[in-house]
Amino acid sequence: MKLPETKQPAANGKRALITGITGQDGSYLSELLLAKGYEVWGIVRRSSSFNTARIDHLYQDPHEQGVRLRLTYGDLSDASSLHKTLRLVEPHEVYNLGAQSHVKVSFDVPEYTGDVTALGVVRLLEAIRDLGLETKFYQASSSELYGKAVETPQTENTPFHPRSPYAAAKAYAYHITRNYRESYGLYAVNGILFNHESPRRGPTFVTRKISRAAARIRLGLQDRLYLGNLEAARDWGFAGDYVEAMWRMLQADQPDDFVIATGVPTTVRQFCEWCFAEVGLPIEWRGSGVEERGVGPDGRELVQIDPRYHRPAEVDHLQGDFSKARRVLGWEPTVTVAELSKMMAQSDLALAESESAAAER
Ligand code: NDP
Ligand code: GDR
């Protein structure tokens, strides 16, 4: 990756800066903003291996004319890199999607999670304030804030009860974003997004772990899938729909916070059944507790429970009420969770087929 040196005028004259551009949401949001004529800048962190696979299809040689996607090195744990980037880009809109975003991993690296996922936000906000930028700021808040939810469905007014170091860090991030809006009049908003998935979802999040395993088991590339809590229910939507909501939040007349969800809860168990059925391996459940097994049509045990994937504190059931977003932003989801499971299983089947073909060559 080459570091860009200069700003280029964009077709619509607007520049957006995305942290977390290499992640699932960063890639969909980049596509959306480029299609709308933005010049898109992304902060990429240094890694010993390539970490830009999700945006490689958007990459443009910085030496060409009219380049509208630009990447620069930086890190949410490094205030100087954020300051430097903001000064260079002077963005009209900042989307803070960067985070240590894995809930289970946050129990293993709680301090790092707080540094990046919580303090990274105030580093960005302070840099914006210090530079006197009139940028609009989007914070990637999360339904994990509700944790042990006190009511169902959850709205913008439901109290928070974080259940992990990740959720506690996101609670700080949520409040500091509101605080900069109230204290300094910054156009800063929280998108309280419920789980959203896609074929680009990281492979250790449960939906992708399932769709990928189902496809690989189907093609003989893997024997078995190990899961934790099958009863956890999530309100899963499609990431492509959710980045549209992020953009709409920054185009509204007033800065405000919004729940983005589908309103439909589904268990891990159900999502698993759909993905395996989609690849032609319908499963039946036998046994109970840690002895429970998902058994395939030929009697093979395809899914097993591994308590290693249980969390010290679980979030049992999330279901969002997105009526405010529908009313104010005119946003609503276009993909159901059942369609999403098919989309992900089919995509992983195609990937497994090419892996299989490559292995045979
Ligand atoms: P991903 O895990 O796919 O992407 C996270 C991004 O953050 C990656 O680009 C990652 O870089 C980057 N990142 C991690 N650590 C740092 C750091 N120290 N400095 C700079 N960048 C860093 O997450 P998603 O795309 O799924 O989610 C985007 C955001 O939305 C996250 O903040 C997440 O917590 C939040 N969120 C996600 C939801 C979901 O269901 N997907 C729901 C609600 C909120 P690298 O590629 O190098 O790892
Ligand atoms: P979540 O997503 O914690 O909701 O955070 P994840 O897919 O990791 O877990 C969802 C539920 O599935 C259960 N589960 C398993 N989870 C994983 N990862 N692996 C397993 O093997 C497994 N078995 C069962 C979990 O216990 C949990 O209940 C995601 C992230 O994208 C966050 O960044 C985001 O804020 C929230 O969604 C909204």
Side-chain angles (χ1 to χ4, degrees):
M1 193 186 72
K2 294 185 183 70
L3 287 173
E5 302 287 335
T6 53
K7 287 179 287 203
Q8 294 250 350
N12 77 356
K14 279 193 174 179
R15 283 181 304 281
L17 174 67
I18 304 176
T19 73
I21 194 168
T22 55
Q24 170 189 256
D25 291 5
S27 68
Y28 283 107
L29 182 63
S30 300
E31 284 173 4
L32 181 85
L33 296 179
L34 287 169
K36 289 185 183 296
Y38 282 70
E39 178 179 329
V40 175
W41 287 71
I43 292 182
V44 177
R45 61 184 179 149
R46 198 280 171 190
S47 159
S48 67
S49 51
F50 290 124
N51 58 356
T52 54
R54 292 190 182 95
I55 49 169
D56 280 348
H57 63 293
L58 301 172
Y59 180 78
Q60 297 162 310
D61 185 332
H63 302 99
E64 303 280 313
Q65 290 294 310
V67 171
R68 288 202 285 114
L69 175 68
R70 298 188 162 263
L71 304 177
T72 182
Y73 285 116
D75 200 296
L76 284 163
S77 63
D78 182 324
S80 68
S81 69
L82 303 177
H83 203 275
K84 220 168 7 193
T85 304
L86 282 162
R87 198 175 56 222
L88 169 74
V89 179
E90 293 183 354
H92 300 91
E93 296 171 10
V94 172
Y95 295 86
N96 182 36
L97 309 185
Q100 191 304 92
S101 71
H102 203 286
V103 174
K104 174 74 162 61
V105 172
S106 77
F107 288 98
D108 301 327
V109 289
E111 185 183 332
Y112 173 76
T113 301
D115 191 11
V116 172
T117 306
L119 294 181
V121 185
V122 77
R123 288 187 189 106
L124 271 174
L125 290 166
E126 264 304 281
I128 290 170
R129 196 169 76 86
D130 188 45
L131 290 163
L133 298 178
E134 289 198 9
T135 183
K136 294 182 174 181
F137 182 83
Y138 174 87
Q139 168 56 23
S141 284
S142 164
S143 52
E144 282 294 296
L145 292 169
Y146 301 117
K148 204 173 166 60
V150 298
E151 63 181 8
T152 300
Q154 294 88 45
T155 73
E156 290 80 4
N157 299 319
T158 302
F160 297 156
H161 185 144
R163 295 271 284 170
S164 62
Y166 167 82
K170 284 285 183 185
Y172 173 86
Y174 169 91
H175 287 297
I176 200 72
T177 299
R178 281 191 73 139
N179 181 251
Y180 272 60
R181 179 165 86 216
E182 291 168 9
S183 307
Y184 307 116
L186 191 69
Y187 191 113
V189 307
N190 286 287
I192 308 175
L193 271 51
F194 283 61
N195 299 53
H196 46 279
E197 321 291 311
S198 73
R200 298 183 200 166
R201 185 59 144 149
T204 63
F205 296 101
V206 77
T207 54
R208 183 75 200 288
K209 183 174 170 184
I210 293 170
S211 62
R212 186 167 177 269
R216 289 169 60 81
I217 291 171
R218 179 77 181 88
L219 291 190
L221 295 167
Q222 182 176 331
D223 292 332
R224 197 160 288 148
L225 166 64
Y226 293 94
L227 289 174
N229 179 11
L230 296 176
E231 310 312 334
R234 289 291 182 277
D235 179 333
W236 280 299
F238 171 52
D241 285 344
Y242 285 42
V243 298
E244 168 77 26
M246 294 176 188
W247 177 77
R248 288 192 189 201
M249 277 179 227
L250 292 196
Q251 316 311 313
D253 294 338
Q254 299 292 329
D256 203 350
D257 306 323
F258 292 92
V259 161
I260 300 298
T262 70
V264 179
T266 302
T267 59
V268 171
R269 179 189 297 281
Q270 171 72 83
F271 197 90
C272 197
E273 288 171 13
W274 281 334
C275 285
F276 277 82
E278 182 64 19
V279 302
L281 292 173
I283 49 174
E284 252 180 44
W285 301 102
R286 296 196 192 142
S288 61
V290 290
E291 299 303 322
E292 185 160 15
R293 301 279 184 270
V295 180
D298 61 357
R300 267 195 312 144
E301 292 183 351
L302 305 182
V303 184
Q304 285 189 15
I305 305 302
D306 183 344
R308 203 154 61 94
Y309 297 114
H310 289 141
R311 297 171 179 188
E314 177 62 294
V315 171
D316 295 319
H317 185 103
L318 292 175
Q319 181 181 356
D321 175 349
F322 66 96
S323 45
K324 180 176 166 186
R326 178 158 46 197
R327 193 177 69 250
V328 179
L329 305 175
W331 179 88
E332 55 185 22
T334 66
V335 179
T336 67
V337 59
E339 289 164 348
L340 183 63
S341 70
K342 284 180 196 290
M343 180 202 298
M344 293 175 70
Q346 286 299 337
S347 165
D348 277 320
L349 206 48
L351 283 178
E353 274 160 7
S354 38
E355 193 183 327
S356 202
E360 277 167 21
R361 278 202 290 273

